[in-house]
Amino acid sequence: MCNFACDHCQVTHWARKTTRLTTERFSSILRQLPMLRQVKLQGMGEPLLNRHLIEMLEEGEDGGAVSIVTNGSVYTENIAQRLSSLRGTTIIISMDGATAETFEAIRVNGNFQKVVANVADMVRRRGRSLWPGIELRSVVTLRNAHELPDLVRLAKRIGVDKLTATTLLTDWGKEDMEVSIAPIDVSREDPRVDQYIRESREVAAEIGMPLSVEHGQRYSRANRCPWPWQSSYIAANGDVVPCCQIADSSVVKMGNVFDEPFANIWNNGKYRELRQRIAGNDIPHYCRGCYGMKPVAADADRKAV
């Protein structure tokens, strides 16, 4: 569930039953993962619409690093106070523009000034403390690339810890999305994108704003996807999906943690086959977007060359 309708997000384009993760079910998942190092409470939607989210963040902090990605719009006095008390959580706010015009055209139903004010208030409440971590993240497209240098300046002015900009879009493992949101090389579409990225790095160095830019192909034969060996995506209903770049069990489902232990799922035939295929560069259709490949139908999977 989400209160925004961003065109590049699959939630905007699907119709399905809304499911909320409960604290009891979250606790049951944690008990299945005693060696867990990091958890991101980020489903397909806005996490702060779950009224129990902060309780789960607090519980997650007992076991390791925790993070959320939020659109920054769901922000009441109660939420603000409780977020400011977190001591092991990083809050990442999506900021796809440095002006109201650009931001609100991409983050449909969003209010730029409100989100900026909310983030500034998070920073103010935190004071000199290192926690919670507060970062901005921007998906760079042809619609907002020109504002990236100004976004660096905005991040510095607000006082966040870091800005991450990524040109790596995803097709969510689907070859038949209703709108064209498949991965694109924005630099190829508009050569000025590389210039904007260079300018943003120069600005960041000049004003002392930590900036990370994810640009270019996500994975390749030499740089294979680590997800099948290191991490997993568990939906609110318990469905296990290989990664957050798919995040939809109708595309591929490895099992359900409320039906069988996660350890069994992690070592089942589906996961073993996926690892073998990724290791052998035999990329499944739902992974091809992250490898810079054109999507193919599921029954047309073939060995990648």
Side-chain angles (χ1 to χ4, degrees):
M1 54 183 172
C2 192
N3 55 337
F4 282 16
C6 307
D7 187 57
H8 60 271
C9 179
Q10 64 178 334
V11 172
T12 303
H13 308 286
W14 70 19
R16 60 183 56 205
K17 180 182 178 181
T18 296
T19 304
R20 289 179 174 85
L21 183 64
T22 65
T23 52
E24 293 77 15
R25 284 195 152 188
F26 177 62
S27 297
S28 74
I29 293 172
L30 291 185
R31 288 194 295 271
Q32 295 186 48
L33 301 165
M35 303 300 290
L36 186 65
R37 294 176 55 193
Q38 188 176 62
V39 58
K40 178 186 286 187
L41 275 164
Q42 172 62 35
M44 289 311 305
E46 169 51 47
L48 281 166
L49 289 175
N50 186 322
R51 66 183 63 184
H52 301 296
L53 174 76
I54 299 178
E55 297 170 29
M56 290 185 274
L57 291 173
E58 293 168 343
E59 183 176 359
E61 287 184 341
D62 293 337
V66 184
S67 64
I68 60 169
V69 180
T70 172
N71 61 34
S73 68
V74 183
Y75 195 71
T76 64
E77 177 64 24
N78 179 56
I79 288 175
Q81 290 181 359
R82 296 185 68 188
L83 287 177
S84 66
S85 69
L86 295 170
R87 290 298 176 266
T89 296
T90 298
I91 303 168
I92 304 166
I93 302 94
S94 298
M95 188 69 71
D96 293 341
T99 64
E101 180 181 10
T102 298
F103 177 92
E104 291 169 12
I106 297 172
R107 313 291 294 178
V108 179
N109 299 331
N111 182 305
F112 175 74
Q113 297 298 341
K114 178 181 179 181
V115 172
V116 170
N118 290 345
V119 179
D121 186 69
M122 291 181 199
V123 174
R124 179 188 65 80
R125 288 174 184 266
R126 180 181 65 174
R128 295 182 179 274
S129 174
L130 296 176
W131 297 106
I134 303 172
E135 302 179 4
L136 298 185
R137 184 173 181 87
S138 179
V139 176
V140 179
T141 66
L142 298 177
R143 289 187 288 180
N144 65 2
H146 63 287
E147 292 190 355
L148 188 53
D150 283 338
L151 186 58
V152 174
R153 297 183 180 95
L154 176 63
K156 180 67 174 181
R157 186 164 65 250
I158 296 174
V160 299
D161 303 323
K162 177 182 178 182
L163 167 64
T164 298
T166 180
T167 64
L168 305 176
L169 300 180
T170 176
D171 60 2
W172 308 104
K174 301 176 175 71
E175 61 272 358
D176 57 351
M177 291 297 295
E178 293 181 9
V179 296
S180 178
I181 60 170
I184 58 172
D185 184 343
V186 292
S187 298
R188 184 176 299 172
E189 296 286 335
D190 186 344
R192 291 176 297 178
V193 171
D194 287 334
Q195 174 188 334
Y196 300 138
I197 291 175
R198 285 195 300 271
E199 289 178 6
S200 67
R201 284 178 167 145
E202 291 170 359
V203 171
E206 179 182 347
I207 66 178
M209 181 66 232
L211 170 67
S212 174
V213 180
E214 300 170 352
H215 185 42
Q217 188 170 307
R218 191 187 303 271
Y219 300 124
S220 65
R221 181 190 295 270
N223 177 37
R224 70 185 183 192
C225 171
W227 273 83
W229 289 270
Q230 298 180 3
S231 306
S232 192
Y233 178 94
I234 303 176
N237 66 355
D239 285 348
V240 178
V241 180
C243 73
C244 68
Q245 300 300 328
I246 300 172
D248 181 355
S249 59
S250 71
V251 173
V252 55
K253 176 179 173 180
M254 313 305 276
N256 185 289
V257 293
F258 302 133
D259 295 334
E260 59 181 318
F262 180 81
N264 291 357
I265 299 170
W266 187 244
N267 294 290
N268 67 18
K270 291 181 179 179
Y271 254 118
R272 291 199 301 271
E273 179 185 2
L274 177 60
R275 294 181 187 115
Q276 289 172 352
R277 295 191 65 174
I278 295 296
N281 204 45
D282 180 15
I283 310 302
H285 71 280
Y286 47 79
C287 296
R288 292 176 68 87
C290 283
Y291 279 79
M293 301 175 178
K294 293 181 179 180
V296 295
D299 60 359
D301 273 358
R302 59 185 182 277
K303 191 171 183 64
V305 295

